[in-house]
Amino acid sequence: EPEVTQTPSHQVTQMGQEVILRCVPISNHLYFYWYRQILGQKVEFLVSFYNNEISEKSEIFDDQFSVERPDGSNFTLKIRSTKLEDSAMYFCASSLGLGEYNEQFFGPGTRLTVL
Amino acid sequence: AQKVTQAQTEISVVEKEDVTLDCVYETRDTTYYLFWYKQPPSGELVFLIRRNSFDEQNEISGRYSWNFQKSTSSFNFTITASQVVDSAVYFCALTPGVGAGKSTFGDGTTLTVKP
């Protein structure tokens, strides 16, 4: 069965550094998402992306975050200047589209540790 | 607005006991998907089941079973004859079936199965 993949599985960075988290959604999917889970808390929506633009974002997704689909396969989340509180699991998800095809498939996550 | 409530924060059982994890949801959508995920200590989200709003059939998969009742907006998960390996955090989630909407997760239930 096709799956969403994410790299790296674990990223350690210094506060203030930029990080890019990478995702490869399922190949024929059109909608892409990032979610965040701070340790011990629930999974929270960050942003959704369709047709090369953001379709919805949460209040967490401030100016230090950006997303991009640089080519036909990757979907990236960039954090420009990481803070300690950005330490979390980041999950990418994708879906085929609307209606009955809106099931979201989640990747295994990237654990980001900001020191 | 969507909401998922997992009222049980933590459950502790002894091996071989049956355990039910509750999930209650709120949505104005007539079409939606419900999910259960298992999150082991390693952090990835392990997909367990998806159910669409038009399919109220209960499902059994090995020791796992799910009871979906639209009348009470509940989608409960039962593990029969629990095992130590079932120890994890379990999340219930809701995704709209129309539009590219975000998934809403419950707070999770931490299940500890003691030998």
Side-chain angles (χ1 to χ4, degrees):
Chain A
E1 184 172 311
E3 58 183 18
V4 177
T5 59
Q6 291 185 242
T7 54
S9 57
H10 191 187
Q11 173 92 45
V12 181
T13 190
Q14 295 290 325
M15 191 170 57
Q17 294 296 305
E18 174 184 286
V19 295
I20 297 176
L21 309 183
R22 291 183 168 79
C23 167
V24 179
I26 295 173
S27 61
N28 62 337
H29 283 188
L30 302 175
Y31 294 83
F32 314 111
Y33 309 83
W34 282 102
Y35 292 81
R36 182 183 80 174
Q37 184 188 29
I38 293 172
L39 184 64
Q41 299 185 20
K42 69 177 175 183
V43 179
E44 302 173 289
F45 169 78
L46 287 178
V47 65
S48 58
F49 190 85
Y50 169 70
N51 200 26
N52 281 321
E53 60 182 30
I54 291 173
S55 49
E56 185 180 356
K57 61 182 181 179
S58 73
E59 58 193 25
I60 302 169
F61 194 86
D62 61 24
D63 291 344
Q64 71 160 342
F65 291 94
S66 62
V67 289
E68 192 179 28
R69 186 138 162 92
D71 52 42
S73 58
N74 289 283
F75 178 51
T76 62
L77 173 69
K78 181 192 289 187
I79 308 175
R80 290 190 181 83
S81 178
T82 50
K83 304 172 188 170
L84 294 176
E85 54 263 38
D86 292 327
S87 295
M89 281 288 283
Y90 289 82
F91 294 100
C92 174
S94 69
S95 70
L96 180 56
L98 303 177
E100 64 182 283
Y101 302 109
N102 195 33
E103 298 182 38
Q104 294 178 24
F105 295 79
F106 284 81
T110 292
R111 185 181 298 278
L112 176 64
T113 302
V114 182
L115 302 176
Chain B
Q2 300 179 131
K3 186 177 180 181
V4 176
T5 302
Q6 294 180 252
Q8 304 148 308
T9 306
E10 295 182 13
I11 300 177
S12 181
V13 298
V14 177
E15 209 170 18
K16 298 184 183 175
E17 283 185 26
D18 298 347
V19 59
T20 295
L21 282 60
D22 297 333
C23 173
V24 174
Y25 63 91
E26 295 176 29
T27 179
R28 294 180 182 173
D29 295 327
T30 54
T31 306
Y32 50 88
Y33 293 96
L34 294 162
F35 298 81
W36 275 97
Y37 294 93
K38 175 181 180 180
Q39 188 175 47
S42 51
E44 75 271 24
L45 288 174
V46 179
F47 166 80
L48 295 178
I49 189 171
R50 73 174 66 87
R51 174 67 74 231
N52 75 55
S53 51
F54 296 111
D55 182 2
E56 287 195 71
Q57 264 193 320
N58 292 327
E59 183 161 334
I60 297 175
S61 177
R63 297 185 296 107
Y64 296 167
S65 62
W66 291 270
N67 184 351
F68 176 31
Q69 293 199 352
K70 285 181 76 170
S71 61
T72 56
S73 297
S74 65
F75 186 44
N76 296 337
F77 171 35
T78 297
I79 302 174
T80 304
S82 58
Q83 300 176 1
V84 173
V85 293
D86 296 327
S87 297
V89 182
Y90 290 85
F91 289 97
C92 181
L94 170 69
T95 301
V98 179
K102 60 191 178 188
S103 290
T104 300
F105 282 75
D107 288 339
T109 296
T110 301
L111 174 65
T112 303
V113 182
K114 299 177 182 176

